[in-house]
Amino acid sequence: MNSLNEINTEGFTIINTVYTESEIEKLISLIENNTENRVDTATFRKSQDLFAIRQFHKEIPETLPHIFNQNLKNIIASNFGEDYFITKSIYFDKPEKSNWFVAYHQDLTISVDKKIEIENFENWTIKQNQFAVQPPKEILENNFTIRIHLDNTTKDNGALKVINDSHSKGIFRVENLEIEIAKETICEVEKGGIMIMKPLLFHASNKTTNNERRRVIHIEFSNQILPDGLEWSEKTILKV
């Protein structure tokens, strides 16, 4: 099954060896050099269980030429076309002894520049000085996420687990998800590999049990214009 077919039917795909060892080490170096003396801010969060950078591509833009190597640009173009842009990015660093876990959920919100009362845009929140809203499901259905793995990720250090094909059922509450009869996959990804997933795919993450670090760059993409003057707050056009 090719990548696009798998994304459409299962809601995700895993592609290893997208980055070389030296490309990954360069990304790690850029991140470490830019975060060494940073303290908690609206976009930086650090605890014993998690270090996260929101608006990552804006906080450390030097990483972008290295993230979008020819391999990744080819993968995006061949699977989705060339009109997609970044709408959100987060860097996650799950330390070796992390007890941080995430229960099953769908990614239902997008980051926007202001609050406007628009039909079918609901559940408005403000987080880290940024507006977030749940858009109509048609917008979410057309978006995709790429997760770039800077470490080997296994079931023992918090690899995502997903419910296959759950993205095709629309938006619904997790308690209505029949997990016991659904197919669950643990998405192990090698260092230098990526996982592509749809926002409506139910996904979760367990605690780390093997004392191994897990660092991931999470980037969300869309090709859609929002209505009534609403704008994606983190919109960044890719340079091809």
Side-chain angles (χ1 to χ4, degrees):
M1 185 182 294
N2 67 34
S3 296
L4 185 57
N5 283 345
E6 192 166 35
I7 294 165
N8 288 334
T9 59
E10 302 297 318
F12 71 98
T13 193
I14 293 168
I15 306 172
N16 286 311
T17 65
V18 175
Y19 299 91
T20 65
E21 181 76 23
S22 62
E23 286 174 322
I24 291 296
E25 293 309 315
K26 178 63 176 178
L27 281 170
I28 291 171
S29 174
L30 286 169
I31 293 166
E32 289 179 345
N33 290 341
N34 278 276
T35 58
E36 192 171 5
N37 298 312
R38 295 290 294 264
V39 296
D40 279 5
T41 64
T43 55
F44 276 63
R45 170 189 166 194
K46 194 163 191 175
S47 71
Q48 64 180 11
D49 287 327
L50 176 69
F51 173 46
I53 306 172
R54 293 184 178 275
Q55 302 184 38
F56 173 75
H57 65 289
K58 291 189 172 184
E59 289 287 347
I60 314 181
E62 309 94 298
T63 58
L64 285 175
H66 303 281
I67 289 171
F68 291 94
N69 66 4
Q70 199 57 52
N71 277 346
L72 189 66
K73 288 192 284 191
N74 290 344
I75 289 167
I76 293 172
S78 62
N79 286 288
F80 303 102
E82 297 183 348
D83 59 342
Y84 277 81
F85 47 83
I86 298 171
T87 63
K88 184 188 292 186
S89 67
I90 310 172
Y91 168 73
F92 294 109
D93 179 353
K94 195 171 184 179
E96 292 88 340
K97 297 186 183 299
S98 175
N99 284 319
W100 182 65
F101 71 96
V102 180
Y104 266 116
H105 67 286
Q106 297 172 299
D107 290 338
L108 297 180
T109 62
I110 60 173
S111 298
V112 294
D113 63 336
K114 54 186 169 290
K115 182 176 181 179
I116 306 175
E117 293 302 328
I118 304 174
E119 187 178 3
N120 296 323
F121 282 72
E122 52 194 28
N123 299 327
W124 287 88
T125 59
I126 300 179
K127 193 173 185 179
Q128 279 85 32
N129 299 320
Q130 185 164 256
F131 289 103
V133 65
Q134 181 177 318
K137 72 179 179 67
E138 290 75 19
I139 289 178
L140 297 172
E141 286 172 341
N142 280 289
N143 293 353
F144 67 93
T145 298
I146 294 179
R147 294 169 58 88
I148 299 158
H149 290 253
L150 306 185
D151 300 289
N152 287 321
T153 304
T154 70
K155 62 181 177 59
D156 298 319
N157 69 335
L160 283 192
K161 54 184 182 180
V162 304
I163 302 298
N164 297 50
D165 191 37
S166 54
H167 70 298
S168 68
K169 307 179 194 315
I171 297 170
F172 59 99
R173 298 176 65 87
V174 67
E175 52 265 36
N176 296 329
L177 180 65
E178 296 177 338
I179 293 177
E180 65 278 2
I181 63 170
K183 180 183 177 185
E184 181 182 78
T185 298
I186 296 175
C187 300
E188 298 188 321
V189 186
E190 295 173 7
K191 178 179 181 178
I194 67 171
M195 176 182 178
I196 306 175
M197 59 181 283
K198 302 295 286 182
L200 295 182
L201 183 74
F202 270 93
H203 57 286
S205 175
N206 288 340
K207 299 176 182 178
T208 296
T209 60
N210 65 353
N211 291 329
E212 291 185 6
R213 195 173 185 179
R214 189 201 76 178
R215 290 167 289 185
V216 174
I217 299 170
H218 167 114
I219 307 178
E220 299 178 15
F221 298 83
S222 184
N223 65 347
Q224 297 174 77
I225 298 172
L226 299 175
D228 297 347
L230 194 64
E231 296 287 351
W232 304 91
S233 62
E234 297 180 48
K235 181 176 179 177
T236 300
I237 304 293
L238 303 177
K239 294 178 182 177
V240 294

